[in-house]
Amino acid sequence: MAGAGAIVLGIILLFVLILLASAIKIVKEYQRAVIFRLGRVVGARGPGLFFIIPVFEKAVIIDLRTRVLDVPVQETITKDNVPVKVNAVVYFRVVDPVKAVTQVANYIMATSQIAQTTLRSVIGQAHLDELLSEREKLNMELQKIIDEATDPWGIKVSTVEIKDVELPAGMQRAMARQAEAERERRARITLAEAERQAAEKLREAAEIISEHPMALQLRTLQTISDVASDKSNVIVLPLPMEMLKLFKSFADAGEAVKKIVREKEASE
């Protein structure tokens, strides 16, 4: 009898230890335990050590750390009828563990599905140029829509980033030709502007030289000095226009003297 009593006592002690072990719960700093008592939520506990009532209470552990959700590639058509393949990444975390457990069956899967449908919807309302050049604007719009949709589940979406945009091969070639044409147009505009500025400077120089003839002589002498540095060059000096004007003045004076002499001889 004593042996049977010891066995029963041992079984009772083992049962008590099992109950105590199941009553003790420890959750980490980044976790929370949602407590259900007879099927009803009584709140969230943690972090650290706490006790639950065995059999009557159940704890569901929720991770509060930021999760990274990779949105699969979505095939959609932009507003200007260009087919594209787009994928994205979503950063979110649980801010209300009770809602994350009671309001949705699987908050990770639900967030993924919302992100996929929202990505297709937003891309379908944007033009291709916006998708390529205004990606930050689209990221903010995606984050706002997904965050509002997941807020009833106790989910906070902090960031949404469009990762890759895949275009059809024909569209890529067309964009490459467009970019090349744009670069050529800018090069021609730059060259034309440079020629215009050069012509403007030449016009200003011509006006200065026309007002100051000696400036042309100084420029001529400078050019001769530059050319003379190479002894193999043969330099032909042009006759300055001022000297031609001087000779013309002498010729006019001689004609005037001859005219006076003829008039004097005629009068005698």
Side-chain angles (χ1 to χ4, degrees):
M1 293 295 294
I7 294 174
V8 172
L9 181 61
I11 293 175
I12 293 174
L13 289 177
L14 179 62
F15 181 72
V16 171
L17 291 176
I18 293 174
L19 287 179
L20 288 176
S22 63
I24 298 174
K25 298 293 182 181
I26 299 176
V27 295
K28 298 181 176 62
E29 182 67 30
Y30 54 83
Q31 294 176 331
R32 295 295 183 272
V34 179
I35 307 300
F36 289 85
R37 181 179 298 162
L38 297 177
R40 298 177 63 89
V41 176
V42 296
R45 298 179 187 176
L49 173 68
F50 62 92
F51 296 90
I52 64 173
I53 303 175
V55 180
F56 297 99
E57 290 185 344
K58 179 182 178 182
V60 179
I61 308 299
I62 297 296
D63 196 325
L64 302 184
R65 291 177 294 182
T66 298
R67 292 179 177 269
V68 181
L69 180 63
D70 191 8
V71 181
V73 175
Q74 303 296 307
E75 296 185 10
T76 184
I77 299 177
T78 62
K79 193 173 183 179
D80 47 354
N81 298 321
V82 179
V84 294
K85 294 181 179 179
V86 184
N87 65 341
V89 60
V90 178
Y91 295 84
F92 71 96
R93 62 187 180 90
V94 176
V95 294
D96 191 333
V98 174
K99 288 184 178 180
V101 173
T102 59
Q103 298 300 319
V104 63
N106 187 331
Y107 66 89
I108 298 177
M109 179 62 68
T111 303
S112 175
Q113 294 299 317
I114 284 291
Q116 293 178 40
T117 56
T118 303
L119 180 61
R120 288 196 298 267
S121 175
V122 171
I123 298 302
Q125 297 175 5
H127 290 84
L128 180 61
D129 291 340
E130 294 177 351
L131 180 59
L132 297 177
S133 62
E134 300 181 9
R135 189 172 297 184
E136 185 64 28
K137 175 183 175 182
L138 296 178
N139 290 339
M140 294 178 62
E141 185 175 356
L142 286 168
Q143 184 271 335
K144 179 181 178 181
I145 296 174
I146 300 174
D147 185 48
E148 291 177 353
T150 57
D151 183 68
W153 306 335
I155 305 298
K156 175 62 179 177
V157 177
S158 57
T159 306
V160 179
E161 293 286 343
I162 297 175
K163 293 172 61 178
D164 298 318
V165 178
E166 183 179 348
L167 301 176
M171 180 59 65
Q172 293 180 11
R173 290 192 295 269
M175 293 179 65
R177 290 195 299 268
Q178 180 182 0
E180 184 179 358
E182 178 65 18
R183 289 193 296 269
E184 185 177 355
R185 182 184 69 85
R186 292 181 181 179
R188 290 183 178 180
I189 291 176
T190 302
L191 180 59
E193 179 65 20
E195 292 180 352
R196 188 192 66 80
Q197 293 179 3
E200 184 69 20
K201 295 299 181 181
L202 289 174
R203 183 185 64 80
E204 294 176 1
E207 291 177 355
I208 295 174
I209 291 175
S210 64
E211 295 176 359
H212 305 282
M214 290 303 298
L216 179 60
Q217 297 300 320
L218 293 175
R219 181 58 182 163
T220 302
L221 293 176
Q222 182 181 0
T223 304
I224 293 173
S225 176
D226 294 339
V227 175
S229 61
D230 189 353
K231 297 182 179 180
S232 63
N233 293 331
V234 177
I235 302 174
V236 179
L237 297 177
L239 187 64
M241 296 301 295
E242 285 72 11
M243 295 185 64
L244 294 177
K245 293 179 180 179
L246 181 61
F247 292 155
K248 186 176 184 300
S249 299
F250 288 159
D252 293 341
E255 291 294 334
V257 171
K258 291 180 180 179
K259 183 177 180 182
I260 294 173
V261 171
R262 287 195 298 270
E263 291 178 352
K264 184 176 181 180
E265 291 178 351
S267 62
E268 292 178 352

